[in-house]
Amino acid sequence: LFAGDMTHYLMSHFKHLLGGAIMVLFLQYVSLDWWRKWSSTIFFITILILGVTAVYGVALNSAPRWFGIANNTFQPSYLAKIMLVMILAIQLSERQKYISDRPLLPPLNPQRWATEKDKERNLRILIKTSLPILMPVALVCILVFPSNFSNFSALFSTYSLIESVIS
């Protein structure tokens, strides 16, 4: 049924598992303060890599969604998923006092924007809660969508789930 040596695939899989286990062991000792401090920088680098991949991506399996470094390739959309969840968690924790007493999104009904007081309140909601949370999601989704619809769907679903839990 199978011709040839299959140990190559087994060893390759084992190397990836070992690398992942070492990374998990390393990352569990990184403090939350470090992640809070550096997550914006890592997210920015992720956005740059997504942009470079969109223009100069390595095409594997007829999809230019891979980023190549030396002889290794990876999909930056996977890193974007992790960083997006991290950025959203930080944004939500920083805006917790705003979110607890007002909605995450302003009302979409034009009648709820009628008075000057409503306009001020809704603009405050938009500026203090909606845009800081929506902008990273929109940026990542725009960069991921053209080359990788499945990861776009996963990213958007993750955001939708987080937003529905908060509301």
Side-chain angles (χ1 to χ4, degrees):
L1 186 66
F2 295 108
D5 187 19
M6 300 298 287
T7 57
H8 165 73
Y9 298 107
L10 180 65
M11 294 309 292
S12 175
H13 189 68
F14 180 72
K15 284 192 290 187
H16 287 105
L17 283 173
L18 183 63
I22 290 170
M23 190 175 291
V24 166
L25 288 173
F26 171 74
L27 292 177
Q28 76 178 355
Y29 293 107
V30 177
S31 72
L32 290 176
D33 292 330
W34 187 91
W35 284 115
R36 184 178 292 276
K37 179 181 177 184
W38 289 100
S39 63
S40 296
T41 305
I42 297 170
F43 182 72
F44 179 72
I45 292 169
T46 302
I47 295 299
L48 287 177
I49 293 172
L50 280 171
V52 168
T53 304
V55 178
Y56 301 108
V58 176
L60 294 175
N61 300 327
S62 70
R65 57 183 162 210
W66 298 82
F67 184 74
I69 299 176
N71 288 332
N72 298 313
T73 57
F74 76 98
Q75 287 188 7
S77 56
Y78 287 111
L79 179 61
K81 280 192 261 189
I82 294 167
M83 291 312 301
L84 188 61
V85 169
M86 187 171 298
I87 288 292
L88 287 177
I90 290 169
Q91 293 287 349
L92 291 172
S93 70
E94 289 175 355
R95 286 162 178 69
Q96 189 172 2
K97 63 181 178 182
Y98 302 117
I99 295 171
S100 64
D101 63 339
R102 54 178 83 94
L104 187 59
L105 294 171
L108 300 176
N109 183 351
Q111 294 173 345
R112 303 278 309 267
W113 288 72
T115 68
E116 202 61 39
K117 184 178 176 183
D118 287 340
K119 285 180 188 175
E120 287 178 24
R121 177 182 182 276
N122 292 337
L123 282 175
R124 216 173 24 253
I125 292 169
L126 192 65
I127 292 169
K128 293 210 182 251
T129 59
S130 302
L131 289 179
I133 293 170
L134 287 174
M135 292 309 292
V137 174
L139 186 59
V140 169
C141 285
I142 287 169
L143 289 170
V144 169
F145 178 73
S147 65
N148 199 339
F149 183 76
S150 61
N151 277 335
F152 163 78
S153 301
L155 287 167
F156 191 75
S157 299
T158 301
Y159 166 73
S160 299
L161 181 65
I162 290 171
E163 197 274 325
S164 67
V165 167
I166 293 169
S167 297

